[in-house]
Amino acid sequence: MISIQQADFDLAAEYQALRADAPSIGAIVTFTGLVRDFNLVESTPENTSVQGLFLEHYPGMTEKSLAAIIETAKTRWSIINTRVVHRIGAMHPGDQIVFVGVNSAHRGDAFAACEFIMDYLKTQAPFWKKELTEEGERWVESRDTDQQAAERWKTD
Amino acid sequence: MIKILYFARLRDSLNRGEEQLEYSAAINTGEKLLSALKSRGAPWQDALDKTQLLMSVNQTMASPDASIQDGDEVAFFPPVTGG
């Protein structure tokens, strides 16, 4: 299940949906990303605080790229079901922004697949963040550490 | 005709999110299309040179040497920052 939505999501409901595959599954791993109130890349000595965030995406390609990432995860690990929720539009610090949940017979596969999906989402899925600070709006710069996190999954 | 989309910082710099362009052999790869767009002068040259660009063809990430066919949807955008 892939959902791109403005509305917040309910962690318990997402977890229960993944639990529906029991008793053939033995593990559920979930990741929830939250909106921070600071920016790591463009931090200044004053470290301007982030007051809000606007998330833009490329409708159509977003869903297609997430489906491809999930398919790749399913070929690499023994996982049964996945749920990915990504919010778009206006958000505030502390808000939930992204959810990735994976279920599997074994925890090892679920842990790895969840992290893989998240790392690839951050470098492949067409989302862009714009921050609202006291100094105005600014587009968030991509981070090399996110690129490196995705690179480490390469097998060749 | 091909459809071209621009996103995020790039769309702001170009002040344009979308356009249709007559298809020809002069724009049948990503690189050729990019140089055609840059030849428009300001603000195109600057925005497309300065921004670290990614490209997609028909909603799949593509490299600059990817071929472009008539009817394709091409998009240019900065590195993604979701999650």
Side-chain angles (χ1 to χ4, degrees), chain B residues 22-29 32-33 68:
Chain B
E22 194 70 49
Y23 182 75
S24 75
I27 56 166
N28 65 7
T29 69
K32 286 191 197 171
L33 173 59
I68 297 171

Side-chain angles (χ1 to χ4, degrees), chain A:
Chain A
M1 193 281 305
I2 296 167
S3 178
I4 310 302
Q5 60 190 51
Q6 291 196 350
D8 196 8
F9 53 86
D10 179 358
L11 191 57
E14 295 304 325
Y15 170 80
Q16 286 303 333
L18 288 163
R19 205 181 154 195
D21 292 313
S24 65
I25 54 160
I28 295 174
V29 170
T30 68
F31 170 83
T32 309
L34 307 179
V35 178
R36 273 195 309 260
D37 70 349
F38 63 97
N39 184 309
L40 291 175
V41 173
E42 296 182 29
S43 57
T44 59
E46 295 80 32
N47 205 354
T48 315
S49 75
V50 176
Q51 298 169 329
L53 194 75
F54 187 86
L55 220 122
E56 175 182 329
H57 79 127
Y58 180 174
M61 181 171 170
T62 309
E63 293 83 352
K64 198 172 166 179
S65 68
L66 290 173
I69 292 166
I70 290 167
E71 274 317 298
T72 306
K74 283 185 169 171
T75 62
R76 288 187 63 171
W77 294 281
S78 175
I79 56 175
I80 312 290
N81 257 313
T82 61
R83 296 182 73 81
V84 176
V85 181
H86 205 301
R87 293 182 64 199
I88 51 168
M91 276 164 268
H92 294 95
D95 284 355
Q96 303 186 112
I97 179 168
V98 60
F99 171 85
V100 176
V102 177
N103 68 20
S104 168
H106 306 288
R107 72 179 184 283
D109 289 89
F111 270 125
C114 185
E115 196 167 22
F116 170 89
I117 291 168
M118 197 54 219
D119 284 348
Y120 269 71
L121 181 155
K122 289 208 72 115
T123 54
Q124 301 290 313
F127 292 102
W128 300 274
K129 287 191 188 109
K130 187 159 69 177
E131 289 175 343
L132 178 63
T133 72
E134 286 154 9
E135 291 155 1
E137 292 181 346
R138 63 183 180 202
W139 289 101
V140 173
E141 300 285 349
S142 62
R143 299 170 62 196
D144 289 342
T145 50
D146 288 333
Q147 201 63 46
Q148 288 152 12
E151 295 281 338
R152 74 200 155 108
W153 296 101
K154 287 197 174 157
T155 46
D156 51 3

Side-chain angles (χ1 to χ4, degrees), chain B residues 13-34:
Chain B
S13 306
L14 298 174
N15 200 21
R16 180 179 297 195
E18 181 178 338
E19 67 176 301
Q20 305 272 339
L21 207 60
E22 194 70 49
Y23 182 75
S24 75
I27 56 166
N28 65 7
T29 69
E31 259 166 350
K32 286 191 197 171
L33 173 59
L34 203 53

